[in-house]
C-alpha cells in the first residue's frame, strides 16, 4: 500500500515482493526506483491485480472489475517495469468470482509469457472457499495455465496449504499422499461408509508413502475397486475381504476391517520404505 514497505522488503532480503497498481500510493513516480532496487537485489516482483482494488481509471473505463479490466491493469503495470528493463515478473489477476477469474487468466495467458500466480481472492469460509478454489484452479491448471497458486480462505493458513496440496495431488501435479476415495450414501450400502472412512483416515494419517484409500459401500463396485488397489477391502454381509495386490488374503468380520487394513498398510509402508519406494502412486482401497 505504501512504497516504503516495498523497499523495506527488498532490503530485508524477501524472496519476492508484490505490488498492486490499483492501491499503492504514489506508484507512478516510484516505478524506476522499485525496478532498480529489485534488480540490484535480484528480487522478483509479482504484479498483483485484485478486483477489490482495481485502478480507478480502469473502473471508470469498464464499469467494474471485468476480466478485460484486470488483464489491462496487469499488462499496463508490467509495461512500466519493462520500460526500465525489469522483466523478473510474475502476474496475478485475482477475483472472488471463479468464472471471472478463469476468464481473466485465460486472456492473460494468451497475451503474455510471464509466469502466472493463480488465486481466487476473498474466496470465503473454508467450505465455500475450497469449492471456489478447486473449480478455478482445476480448470486453469488442466489447461496448462498457472505456475504457482494461493488458496485464500477465512481459516487458519495451515488449512489453505492443505487445500492447495490436495488440489495439486488431485491433478497429479504433486506426489499423492494419503487419499480417501469414498462413495456417497446409497441404498446398496451394507456398511457404515462414513464411520469406516473416518476411522481409516485417522489410522493412516501421517504415513509418508502415497496411499489411496477408496471407501465403498456396496458389493457392486467393491471387489473391482479393491482389486485395482495395492491394498483394499470389499465388505458386505457383516464381513470384509482383504485384498493385497489384487488378491484376497483373508476375510475378516466387519468389526475387524479397520484394524486389519491399518495393519496391512503398515506392512506395505515398511516394505516400500525398505525398498526406497517413496514416490509413484501405490493405492489402498476400502470398498463395499
Amino acid at each position: 500500500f505504501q512504497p516504503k514497505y516495498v523497499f523495506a522488503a527488498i532490503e530485508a532480503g524477501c524472496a519476492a515482493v508484490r505490488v498492486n497498481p490499483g492501491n499503492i500510493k504514489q506508484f507512478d513516480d516510484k516505478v524506476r526506483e522499485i525496478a532498480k532496487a529489485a534488480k540490484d537485489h535480484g528480487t522478483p516482483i509479482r504484479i498483483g491485480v485484485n478486483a477489490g482494488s482495481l485502478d480507478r481509471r480502469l473502473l471508470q473505463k469498464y464499469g467494474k472489475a471485468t476480466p478485460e479490466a484486470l488483464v489491462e491493469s496487469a499488462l499496463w503495470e508490467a509495461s512500466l517495469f519493462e520500460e526500465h528493463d525489469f522483466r523478473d515478473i510474475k502476474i496475478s489477476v485475482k477475483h472472488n468470482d471463479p468464472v471471472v477469474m478463469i476468464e481473466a487468466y485465460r486472456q492473460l495467458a494468451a497475451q503474455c509469457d510471464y509466469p502466472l500466480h493463480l488465486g481466487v481472492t476473498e474466496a470465503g469460509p473454508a467450505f465455500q472457499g475450497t469449492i471456489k478454489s478447486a473449480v478455478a484452479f482445476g480448470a486453469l491448471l488442466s489447461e496448462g495455465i498457472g505456475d504457482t497458486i494461493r488458496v485464500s480462505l477465512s481459516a487458519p493458513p495451515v488449512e489453505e496449504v492443505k487445500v492447495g496440496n490436495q488440489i495439486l495431488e488431485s491433478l497429479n501435479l504433486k506426489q499423492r499422499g494419503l487419499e480417501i476415495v469414498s462413495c456417497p450414501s446409497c441404498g446398496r450400502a451394507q456398511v457404515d461408509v462414513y464411520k469406516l472412512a473416518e476411522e481409516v483416515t485417522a489410522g493412516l494419517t501421517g504415513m509418508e508413502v502415497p496411499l489411496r484409500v477408496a471407501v465403498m459401500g456396496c458389493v457392486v463396485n467393491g471387489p473391482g475397486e479393491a482389486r485395482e488397489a495395492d491394498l483394499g477391502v470389499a465388505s458386505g454381509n457383516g464381513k470384509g475381504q482383504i485384498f493385497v495386490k489384487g488378491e484376497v488374503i483373508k476375510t475378516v468380520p466387519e468389526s475387524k476391517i479397520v484394524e486389519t487394513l491399518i495393519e496391512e498398510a503398515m506392512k506395505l509402508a515398511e516394505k516400500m520404505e525398505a525398498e526406497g519406494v517413496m514416490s509413484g502412486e501405490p493405492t489402498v482401497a476400502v470398498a463395499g
Side-chain angles (χ1 to χ4, degrees):
F1 189 68
Q2 297 185 33
K4 66 180 182 180
Y5 294 121
V6 177
F7 297 113
I10 292 172
E11 291 291 337
C14 288
V17 296
R18 179 255 178 143
V19 295
N20 184 340
N23 66 5
I24 191 167
K25 292 182 178 179
Q26 301 175 339
F27 176 80
D28 291 349
D29 61 353
K30 292 291 185 181
V31 175
R32 181 191 299 274
E33 296 176 43
I34 294 173
K36 183 179 186 306
K39 184 181 291 187
D40 290 346
H41 288 78
T43 306
I45 288 177
R46 172 162 68 91
I47 294 173
V49 179
N50 266 31
S53 54
L54 192 64
D55 187 281
R56 193 174 302 172
R57 291 164 291 189
L58 288 170
L59 279 176
Q60 291 174 348
K61 177 179 178 180
Y62 290 95
K64 60 181 180 179
T66 63
E68 292 76 15
L70 296 171
V71 172
E72 183 174 329
S73 179
L75 294 179
W76 163 72
E77 185 176 350
S79 72
L80 297 182
F81 281 98
E82 290 167 352
E83 289 176 3
H84 300 289
D85 196 32
F86 186 88
R87 292 177 172 78
D88 193 3
I89 295 168
K90 73 176 174 181
I91 301 177
S92 62
V93 283
K94 298 183 180 181
H95 197 288
N96 59 63
D97 184 334
V99 175
V100 176
M101 175 269 203
I102 290 170
E103 180 58 26
Y105 277 102
R106 283 174 174 162
Q107 291 184 21
L108 188 60
Q111 296 182 49
C112 77
D113 292 323
Y114 286 119
L116 303 183
H117 173 68
L118 306 185
V120 179
T121 190
E122 290 97 33
F127 178 77
Q128 174 182 291
T130 295
I131 299 299
K132 283 186 174 182
S133 297
V135 168
F137 295 170
L140 291 168
L141 292 172
S142 66
E143 297 174 14
I145 298 174
D147 299 275
T148 57
I149 66 171
R150 161 72 194 282
V151 176
S152 299
L153 304 176
S154 297
V158 68
E159 297 303 316
E160 298 181 338
V161 176
K162 287 180 180 177
V163 172
N165 282 335
Q166 191 61 57
I167 291 172
L168 294 178
E169 288 179 14
S170 297
L171 293 167
N172 282 331
L173 295 174
K174 187 178 188 296
Q175 178 182 310
R176 292 176 186 255
L178 176 64
E179 178 187 5
I180 302 298
V181 179
S182 56
C183 61
S185 59
C186 172
R188 298 192 304 262
Q190 295 180 318
V191 295
D192 187 338
V193 178
Y194 308 145
K195 182 180 179 182
L196 188 59
E198 289 177 358
E199 291 180 349
V200 171
T201 300
L204 298 181
T205 296
M207 276 193 169
E208 295 184 3
V209 294
L211 295 171
R212 177 184 293 168
V213 181
V215 182
M216 308 298 290
C218 76
V219 295
V220 175
N221 294 327
E225 292 282 355
R227 287 193 182 94
E228 290 298 317
D230 293 299
L231 171 64
V233 59
S235 49
N237 298 319
K239 58 186 178 181
Q241 287 185 311
I242 306 297
F243 289 75
V244 173
K245 301 295 184 182
E247 300 293 333
V248 177
I249 62 166
K250 65 179 74 173
T251 300
V252 299
E254 185 177 329
S255 61
K256 297 289 185 180
I257 288 176
V258 174
E259 175 186 330
T260 306
L261 270 180
I262 293 173
E263 179 182 327
E264 295 298 328
M266 294 296 183
K267 291 179 183 177
L268 277 177
E270 289 178 6
K271 181 179 179 181
M272 292 170 66
E273 289 171 357
E275 296 174 348
V277 181
M278 297 298 289
S279 59
E281 198 176 319
T283 57
V284 180
V286 183

